[in-house]
Amino acid sequence: MAATPVIVAIDGPSGTGKSSTSKAVAIRLGLGFLDTGAQYRAMTWWMLSNGIDVDDPAAVAAASAKPTIVSGTDPQAPTITVDGTDVSVPIRGREVTAAVSAVSAVPEVRARITELQRSIAAEAPAGIVVEGRDIGTTVLPNADLKVFLTASPEARAARRSGELRGKEAADLASTREALIKRDAADAGRKTSPMAKAADAVEVDTTELTLDEVVACVVGLVEERRRPLR
């Protein structure tokens, strides 16, 4: 008998292991995977590439319906394209990282991306793991399981610096400062701020290995599924 489809929302700030955990959980359980942050980064990349002033909310709002963003949900090989162009590499650059909070705060952008995220989750045949910053609170408030990952600023900065390459690499102090600034912006925005859902399970990943975090989340999913069998 096939397992009941399940929707898992994993939220939290950068550097807590959201993406790695979400992909691994999806692979372990045979679910789809959606990196919602990549969608906001893709929108930001398009704005920057097309000369839109990302510090002008009205200009961003007016252009937000133009790009076509498509997310592949295979956790083994997730993809993200904008108007047919693979942007998986450029959306991780520092320019996009510096501008994504401003673009993400525009209500029209959030409405457009949220609608896209909900349609992807609804169409996932076996279920899906969706990771982001407002999934459990705004995008999928009826998710079967909500998890909020946290970690100390130092641990998050070390992980984030480890993800950067070449000239994009930064020292720990500046990375930590950038993370704290991004958190403040995302938690303080008026539309769908980053927050832990009231019914989310909080997992502090500071002292945990990736395997330990994945095992924890998989266990939580299986607990939620058990009564449905």
Side-chain angles (χ1 to χ4, degrees):
M1 180 177 175
T4 303
V6 62
I7 293 180
V8 181
I10 299 184
D11 290 305
S14 299
T16 55
K18 284 200 313 287
S19 291
S20 298
T21 297
S22 298
K23 277 187 266 194
V25 169
I27 291 170
R28 185 88 60 89
L29 296 174
L31 306 175
F33 162 73
L34 179 60
D35 175 359
T36 63
Q39 295 175 315
Y40 285 105
R41 284 175 173 273
M43 178 70 80
T44 303
W45 175 87
W46 185 91
M47 296 285 174
L48 293 168
S49 299
N50 285 274
I52 307 299
D53 182 357
V54 296
D55 292 317
D56 181 349
V60 171
S64 62
K66 295 180 179 179
T68 298
I69 299 171
V70 178
S71 298
T73 57
D74 178 357
Q76 300 273 16
T79 57
I80 181 84
T81 65
V82 180
D83 297 333
T85 299
D86 178 1
V87 296
S88 56
V89 173
I91 64 172
R92 303 298 173 182
R94 187 166 294 173
E95 187 179 15
V96 170
T97 298
V100 68
S101 285
V103 173
S104 300
V106 176
E108 289 81 359
V109 170
R110 298 207 73 81
R112 169 107 194 278
I113 299 296
T114 294
E115 181 181 6
L116 177 61
Q117 292 163 358
R118 286 173 176 164
S119 66
I120 291 171
E123 293 165 7
I128 193 167
V129 179
V130 183
E131 64 115 325
R133 291 172 175 243
D134 67 338
I135 310 307
T137 54
T138 301
V139 180
L140 300 169
N142 296 318
D144 299 293
L145 172 66
K146 302 173 189 178
V147 176
F148 193 86
L149 300 184
T150 64
S152 70
E154 291 73 21
R156 292 168 52 215
R159 293 168 184 169
R160 192 75 184 89
S161 290
E163 294 170 359
L164 301 174
R165 296 288 182 269
K167 65 180 182 180
E168 292 288 320
D171 62 79
L172 285 178
S174 61
T175 301
R176 180 179 184 277
E177 183 179 345
L179 286 174
I180 292 173
K181 183 178 179 181
R182 170 85 191 273
D183 291 347
D186 288 352
R189 64 176 177 244
K190 293 182 179 179
T191 304
S192 301
M194 177 178 70
K196 174 188 170 185
D199 54 347
V201 178
E202 183 171 327
V203 178
D204 186 336
T205 68
T206 303
E207 302 292 337
L208 301 178
T209 65
L210 174 60
D211 286 344
E212 288 171 335
V213 179
V214 172
C216 173
V217 176
V218 168
L220 290 169
V221 174
E222 291 176 341
E223 280 179 19
R224 301 299 167 96
R225 272 181 159 174
R226 209 163 287 138
L228 302 176
R229 288 175 177 167

